[in-house]
Each structure stands twice: as C-alpha cells, then as structure tokens.
Amino acid sequence: MHNDISEILVSEQEIQEICQRLGKEVTKDYQDKSPILVGLLKGCVPFMADISRHIDLKFDMAYMSVSSYHGGIASSGDVKIKLDLDISIKGRDVIIVEDIVDTANTIVTIIELFKHRGASSVKMVTLLDKPEGRVRPYQPDYVGKVIPKAFVVGYGLDYNEYYRNLPYVGVLKPEVYST
Ligand code: 5GP
C-alpha cells in the first residue's frame, strides 16, 4: 500500500496539529451554541473522530453519504445523496465536516440543500482544500491545509475504496489509476 504513494503531503503529526487548531477555532466561534456536526461519509470518518475531540462544546453528530466521483479520480459534477440525515436541521447551526474540497460541486450543493431545509447557519470545516480545482466559487470557513491539484489518498480518502486506512495523506502514483 505505501509503495503506491509518491509523496506524503500531510503527515500524521501535522494532521493532529490541524485537528487541534481547527477544533479550538470552532470552539471559540460557537461559544454558547450547540451546533450539529454533519460528516460527509465515508471520507470524513477519521477527521470527524479526531477533530470532534478538540471541540469543547455540547454538539451532536450526524452523517450523510454523497457521491460525485462514482469510482474514478475526477468529479462527475453530478452530486447524488446516497444516505440522508436521520435528524432535522431546521433552526440548527450546522457545521459540515469534509475531507477535501476540490471543484466545490459537492459542498455548494449540500449547503443549498441545508439552507432550503431551514438551517439557521451552515459553515464547513475541511481537512484539505484544492483551490486550483474549483468549478464553482467557494471558500471553506475552516481549512486544515491547502494542497496542490493532485489526486490524494489516505486518512479517509480512497481510490476505489482502498487506502482510507493510511495514517497520512499522500499523492497516489499515477500508474496505480492509469493501469
Ligand atoms: P468536489 O465536489 O469539491 O469536487 O469534491 C468533493 C469530494 O470529492 C470529496 O469529498 C472527495 O470524496 C472527492 N475528492 C476530491 N478530491 C479528491 C482527491 O484528491 N482524492 C480523493 N480520494 N477524493 C477526492
């Protein structure tokens, strides 16, 4: 598995420092509020687990599964809800937890949906941001690290469902997906 990675972009230690920093920022911004953290499956799982332990507030957690990749390495632009929330977000302060923002098709679509459903506020925290990939203008509220336009895996991010268990984020060698 490690041999398929050409370069480590975010180390285990850096990920933990990011979670601590972002958790503190969210804690400060949401004092006296009880937000709901909505994780976008499956990529958010390690990040949600780690950042949530640095958010010192009363909050609840929910999950949603959306897909725009359908197995490849480029966004199809067609966002599908595969699993919806099991609670109402009407009147709630929502913080979406994402692994990465690339074209922003996914996040812009979900934010519109949540506003339509009556959320009081919708912000998002992402571990990684690839601004060079934008198709729609969007600036995430909380960003762990800005990375160049490369296809990355690890720490929740997959290629055909593999590599999610890597403890770091790395660039997948192009020969892995071109063969
Ligand atoms: P967007 O809609 O912003 O293009 O992409 C959001 C979703 O695409 C992410 O939640 C993630 O699932 C997937 N994605 C975007 N870039 C990458 C990448 O470099 N590697 C992997 N594994 N998934 C990505």
Side-chain angles (χ1 to χ4, degrees), residues 63-82:
Y63 295 91
M64 201 169 169
S65 178
V66 298
S67 156
S68 66
Y69 264 41
H70 316 305
I73 63 145
S75 170
S76 66
D78 167 26
V79 179
K80 285 194 171 57
I81 295 179
K82 300 200 290 186

Side-chain angles (χ1 to χ4, degrees), residues 33-51:
K33 290 194 172 139
S34 304
I36 173 163
L37 261 62
V38 173
L40 300 187
L41 294 170
K42 301 174 193 170
C44 75
V45 171
F47 185 43
M48 185 85 153
D50 286 342
I51 194 173

Side-chain angles (χ1 to χ4, degrees), residues 68-69 75 98-106 130 150-152 157-158:
S68 66
Y69 264 41
S75 170
E98 253 284 41
D99 46 9
I100 191 165
V101 179
D102 182 18
T103 64
N105 277 327
T106 309
K130 286 199 288 195
F151 188 75
V152 294
L157 289 149
D158 75 310

Side-chain angles (χ1 to χ4, degrees), residues 96 106-116 122 124 138:
I96 301 168
T106 309
I107 191 64
V108 169
T109 306
I110 298 301
I111 289 173
E112 279 166 10
L113 176 70
F114 285 2
K115 288 191 174 154
H116 179 74
V122 187
M124 80 98 55
Y138 177 71

